[in-house]
Amino acid sequence: MPREILLGDEAVALAAVHAGLSGAYSYPGTPASEVMEFLLAAAAGGGFRAAWSVNEKTAFEEALGCSFAGKRALVSFKHVGLNVAADPFMSSALTGAGGGLVVVSADDPGMHSSQNEQDSRFYARFAQIPCFEPADHQAAYDLTREAFDHSEKVGLPVMVRLVTRLAHSRAGVEIQAARPANTLRLGSRRAWTLLPSNARAQFRRLLDLQPSLVRYAEASPWNSLDLNPADRSLGIIASGIAANYVRENRSAGPDRPSLLQLSVYPLPEALIRELVAHCRTILVVEEGYPFIEREVKGMFGLPGKTVLGKLSGHLPLMGELTPEAVRAALGQEPLPRRDTAGLKLAARPPQLCLGCPHGDAFKALNEALEGFPGGNVFSDIGCYTLGYFAPYDAIDTCVCMGASLGMARGAAEAGVFPSVAVIGDSTFGHSGITPLLGAAAVDANMVVVILDNGTVAMTGTQPSFAAGGRLLRIIEGVGVDPARIRVLTPLPKNHRENVRLLREEIARPGLSVVVFVRECLEEAKKKTKTGGLS
Amino acid sequence: MSAPARQDIILAGVGGQGILSIAAAIAGAALKRGLNVKQAEVHGMAQRGGAVQSHLRLSADRIWSDLIPRGGADLILGVEPLEALRYLDYLAPEGRIVASSKPHLNIPDYPDLEAILGEIRKIPGSVVVEAESLARAAGTARAQNIVILGAASRFLIVDEAGLRENVRGLFEKRGESVLAANLKAFDLGRGAV
Ligand code: SF4
């Protein structure tokens, strides 16, 4: 079998291609972007459609339409992207899947590049659909292929949950022969039109499916129980990549702890019961929230047993698992460590590229706001979020995609003046258009600053749908007075003029939109690069 | 004597310094040798001029964790001295550091450079390489990562020919002069140890 070196994200993507994928949709977000990057390159060879979408909700619905048509579909995003897609996601458990529908949600425990570390397994349980959580690259490939088959067999979307360490780590993967795509076959009107009368029947179907999903998990070779008959003291439940940290540290001797390794949800109750019956102490090791631990422990605990994990304080409740944290939870001595004996090492946070257009925009905005005490700058998600740090100190909020506009309006209506929203072009396309529509309808007293650098810069310069001329037409199209739309170029030589024009718009009552247009330096570099690293 | 069958390496630097390229070169050479490889990378926000590190594990046996445990790294390769030292708690008692002497000054509170280099030199077997001047001598200041790779080749369990071949693979599409400069940078780095 051929072996390829792949990122975890790429292993998932390649599995989808080999599983007979017809359509793949996504919005960029760390650590999920490389799933689509890989598919775009693979789609160039023909055979399936792969595309960036405007946001995760539209991506999900595009994949759902593909599944409705009987074809296999993949939708991928970072964990918080699933919040944006939650509406169709929850309902897709009721419509069910036609062609296999695989939902890849890549969690970011430790918040390497995210605003929270929510655990997608809760969403899978919330929707009552199966969830596969691979431990390594080979499993990412194999389980994604199986997810398509399982999805078609049970007629439900299946989630593949990744975490940053697997998504962004490389290892060898053995691949299998590809399967052809499905033929077109439309879903039934009754199942897919979620009027209350139909939705009730579909929800009944979902509930009735649950026992078979548990039985599938109990029989799955991906959920493996290794009981040590010679030792009943400790049993470990380890899911996903957490199992690797356990295996890295577990002794192989006669006193080795029993191990239940999990990758297929819903939880295989029979296997968990067997382990619990065998062992006095149960240690639950999982990446993310204490999802399994809480379930096993329940509100009252297990009589006569001790359950250890994140809730008991034996593993950290926040952040990523590490091999050394799991080593400590297993009761082993830490490895000897060195330290720099008092020499303080300065942190090196990420920062805007030297000469980034956002830097010039922030300088102008800061100066323009100097004459208006009491103002606030609501911002958003992108490279420009780094404007929080010195020397800019230019923004005061960042919550979720598109929040800057709605928050600026709400704050303005609560009495904040000046109320400024700062958002990038792609984030504006993702979730900024609807709040601007609302703000324009009431002529909210705020200034919206859109930083148009023509790309999704932070995640690696993916295409932006709301840049350039289209951006300006959107702004006008949602009802902003054309006399209140300014287009400026953020360059040092324009600084004084930009400050003056910003001041003017801040001082005028009602809604203004100021668009700063200058290409991202990375995007420009990409365009001029010949050849280069893949 | 046959080469040892496992090695855990931390690669450290600043976003944009080419950490992932040298990680890929080592990983490729290890695969050629028939070793298993796991390489954890940093993508996203940190790549914007922040501290970037990669965990690279090579082994003849199965590799479980993507991350190297603290206290377990055989080698730290630093394309920047402060960044090399940042991961000191990962270094095993008999591990060593190969680091560039050239600081990347994009922060206001950069510590005393001599103190940083002194700490690195204190680790037995560690090497501080004049990576910037060697890279310039090779023809491009951007090749500091390849100088460090060349210096590290003295201590890696993969062979030099395999590494050179992968350096070639990284740069052959960038034109002959870029390729020649990087191969030279590799040799100068190797010669500096
Ligand atoms: S990648 Fe582009 S937008 Fe991001 S900091 Fe650099 S120049 Fe600015």
Side-chain angles (χ1 to χ4, degrees):
Chain A
M1 270 172 292
R3 193 152 174 260
E4 296 199 28
I5 294 295
L6 299 170
L7 287 174
D9 276 349
E10 295 171 342
V12 166
L14 184 61
V17 175
H18 290 167
L21 181 73
S22 291
Y25 302 91
S26 182
Y27 184 83
T30 311
S33 308
E34 293 80 0
V35 175
M36 179 52 71
E37 300 281 6
F38 185 92
L39 288 170
L40 287 170
F48 65 93
R49 169 84 174 137
W52 291 116
S53 303
V54 172
N55 66 31
E56 293 86 352
K57 179 178 186 290
T58 58
F60 197 101
E61 290 154 353
E62 285 147 8
L64 194 60
C66 181
S67 171
F68 171 86
K71 304 267 193 167
R72 291 190 161 190
L74 186 87
V75 57
S76 56
F77 33 59
K78 68 184 296 173
H79 58 336
V80 287
L82 183 49
N83 298 335
V84 179
D87 204 352
F89 171 76
M90 292 302 294
S91 290
S92 72
L94 270 66
T95 62
L101 175 59
V102 173
V103 182
V104 180
S105 189
D107 292 354
D108 190 17
M111 296 182 248
H112 296 281
S113 217
S114 303
Q115 67 269 41
N116 76 21
E117 48 180 52
Q118 67 186 51
D119 184 330
S120 296
R121 294 176 298 169
F122 287 84
Y123 263 116
R125 188 177 64 187
F126 192 14
Q128 305 192 59
I129 63 164
C131 171
F132 291 178
E133 190 191 8
D136 62 17
H137 301 69
Q138 188 64 51
Y141 178 86
D142 294 340
L143 277 170
T144 301
R145 291 203 61 164
E146 186 173 323
F148 278 102
D149 296 339
H150 192 38
S151 169
E152 260 164 31
K153 211 168 73 208
V154 298
L156 288 175
V158 172
M159 178 186 288
V160 171
R161 182 212 185 204
L162 297 177
V163 293
T164 304
R165 277 308 158 191
L166 178 54
H168 285 171
S169 145
R170 285 176 205 277
V173 175
E174 280 182 5
I175 60 176
Q176 308 287 337
R179 166 196 181 279
N182 292 352
T183 50
L184 211 59
R185 185 166 166 274
L186 302 196
S188 86
R189 293 178 69 220
R190 190 141 43 87
W192 287 80
T193 308
L194 293 178
L195 283 164
S197 55
N198 292 339
R200 282 183 208 112
Q202 291 301 105
F203 189 41
R204 183 76 258 163
R205 168 186 176 270
L206 177 63
L207 295 176
D208 290 345
L209 275 172
Q210 295 303 309
S212 70
L213 302 182
V214 174
R215 282 198 301 276
Y216 184 88
E218 286 169 348
S220 170
W222 296 101
N223 292 336
S224 61
L225 178 60
D226 168 25
L227 289 183
N228 179 358
D231 191 304
R232 289 176 164 265
S233 55
L234 178 64
I236 301 169
I237 302 174
S239 68
I241 71 160
N244 299 336
Y245 302 133
V246 171
R247 290 188 186 274
E248 178 96 12
N249 288 302
R250 187 172 72 141
S251 67
D255 64 338
R256 74 176 197 281
S258 297
L259 175 63
L260 172 57
Q261 180 169 351
L262 299 183
S263 285
V264 171
Y265 301 76
L267 289 173
E269 290 161 19
L271 296 178
I272 293 173
R273 267 199 212 97
E274 217 181 319
L275 181 81
V276 169
H278 186 77
C279 303
R280 286 189 294 278
T281 300
I282 307 297
L283 171 67
V284 186
V285 189
E286 53 195 320
E287 188 73 289
Y289 290 8
F291 175 89
I292 301 172
E293 186 183 350
R294 206 178 280 280
E295 196 94 338
V296 168
K297 200 170 163 209
M299 190 179 285
F300 304 109
L302 295 172
K305 310 278 179 182
T306 310
V307 180
L308 306 180
K310 299 189 173 206
L311 295 172
S312 70
H314 289 77
L315 286 163
L317 260 172
M318 66 179 281
E320 239 184 338
L321 288 177
T322 58
E324 55 272 14
V326 174
R327 186 182 174 91
L330 287 168
Q332 295 176 21
E333 287 298 310
L335 299 173
R337 287 199 211 165
R338 302 169 188 265
D339 63 51
T340 52
L343 180 61
K344 213 173 127 3
L345 303 183
R348 197 187 308 258
Q351 47 189 278
L352 295 177
C353 301
L354 207 65
C356 169
H358 298 335
D360 292 308
F362 282 137
K363 270 182 219 151
L365 182 61
N366 279 347
E367 204 173 314
L369 282 168
E370 269 167 19
F372 303 91
N376 202 79
V377 179
F378 300 88
S379 195
D380 232 294
I381 296 180
C383 282
Y384 49 92
T385 318
L386 298 173
Y388 174 82
F389 295 112
Y392 305 105
D393 297 315
I395 66 162
D396 306 308
T397 72
C398 163
V399 178
C400 68
M401 294 289 282
S404 58
L405 283 95
M407 287 181 71
R409 172 178 166 185
E413 291 177 351
V416 172
F417 175 80
S419 191
V420 180
V422 173
I423 188 169
D425 51 296
S426 185
T427 307
F428 176 73
H430 178 290
S431 286
I433 300 173
T434 43
L436 185 61
L437 174 62
V442 300
D443 196 24
N445 190 20
M446 60 194 258
V447 176
V448 177
V449 175
I450 304 180
L451 306 172
D452 179 6
N453 63 2
T455 187
V456 192
M458 176 63 86
T459 49
T461 63
Q462 292 83 6
S464 162
F465 295 103
R470 181 181 285 148
L471 171 63
L472 300 178
R473 290 194 297 278
I474 292 170
I475 298 166
E476 225 184 296
V478 299
V480 177
D481 177 359
R484 303 293 299 271
I485 305 171
R486 299 260 192 196
V487 181
L488 309 179
T489 308
L491 276 172
K493 64 171 183 179
N494 299 340
H495 178 71
R496 294 186 56 175
E497 183 64 2
N498 288 348
V499 171
R500 189 181 68 75
L501 292 169
L502 272 167
R503 275 206 189 114
E504 235 176 75
E505 293 307 328
I506 292 166
R508 288 164 77 178
L511 176 68
S512 294
V513 178
V514 177
V515 187
F516 278 103
V517 186
R518 180 150 77 85
E519 191 178 42
C520 158
L521 305 175
E522 285 291 317
E523 173 73 10
K525 228 194 272 173
K526 191 174 80 176
K527 281 183 190 157
T528 54
K529 218 183 217 171
T530 49
L533 302 176
S534 61
Chain B
M1 191 190 86
S2 72
R6 58 177 296 278
Q7 197 166 44
D8 284 340
I9 308 158
I10 302 269
L11 299 106
V14 179
Q17 281 192 324
I19 297 299
L20 298 185
S21 301
I22 57 176
I26 300 170
L31 286 168
K32 258 272 166 61
R33 233 199 90 175
L35 297 173
N36 293 305
V37 172
K38 272 197 176 182
Q39 183 207 333
E41 305 182 352
V42 175
H43 295 205
M45 203 167 217
Q47 282 178 302
R48 300 271 161 268
V52 169
Q53 104 284 34
S54 171
H55 292 229
L56 178 58
R57 314 193 74 184
L58 319 175
S59 176
D61 301 322
R62 180 159 184 178
I63 304 164
W64 292 109
S65 167
D66 297 276
L67 295 175
I68 296 167
R70 286 186 168 79
D74 302 298
L75 199 54
I76 294 176
L77 304 189
V79 182
E80 204 281 351
L82 168 60
E83 294 313 319
L85 206 55
R86 194 182 299 288
Y87 304 100
L88 185 63
D89 60 342
Y90 280 90
L91 200 62
E94 52 308 323
R96 71 172 92 219
I97 299 180
V98 176
S100 166
S101 60
K102 174 71 183 175
H104 187 84
L105 300 170
N106 67 345
I107 46 173
D109 49 350
Y110 198 95
D112 178 52
L113 179 61
E114 282 315 310
I116 296 271
L117 298 179
E119 283 295 322
I120 295 173
R121 290 196 178 101
K122 265 204 313 225
I123 313 285
S126 291
V127 185
V128 173
V129 183
E130 304 289 326
E132 199 213 18
S133 52
L134 292 177
R136 281 189 196 286
T140 167
R142 295 188 54 185
Q144 294 175 51
N145 59 338
I146 304 299
V147 173
I148 294 299
L149 178 65
S153 69
R154 299 273 182 198
F155 311 112
L156 291 168
I157 61 169
V158 297
D159 61 55
E160 187 202 344
L163 290 171
R164 282 188 114 255
E165 193 183 310
N166 282 296
V167 171
R168 183 176 288 282
L170 284 173
F171 295 102
E172 66 194 348
K173 283 191 212 146
R174 305 269 187 95
E176 247 167 62
S177 67
V178 175
L179 174 62
N182 278 282
L183 288 172
K184 180 98 188 285
F186 182 89
D187 293 338
L188 291 178
R190 190 171 167 86
V193 179

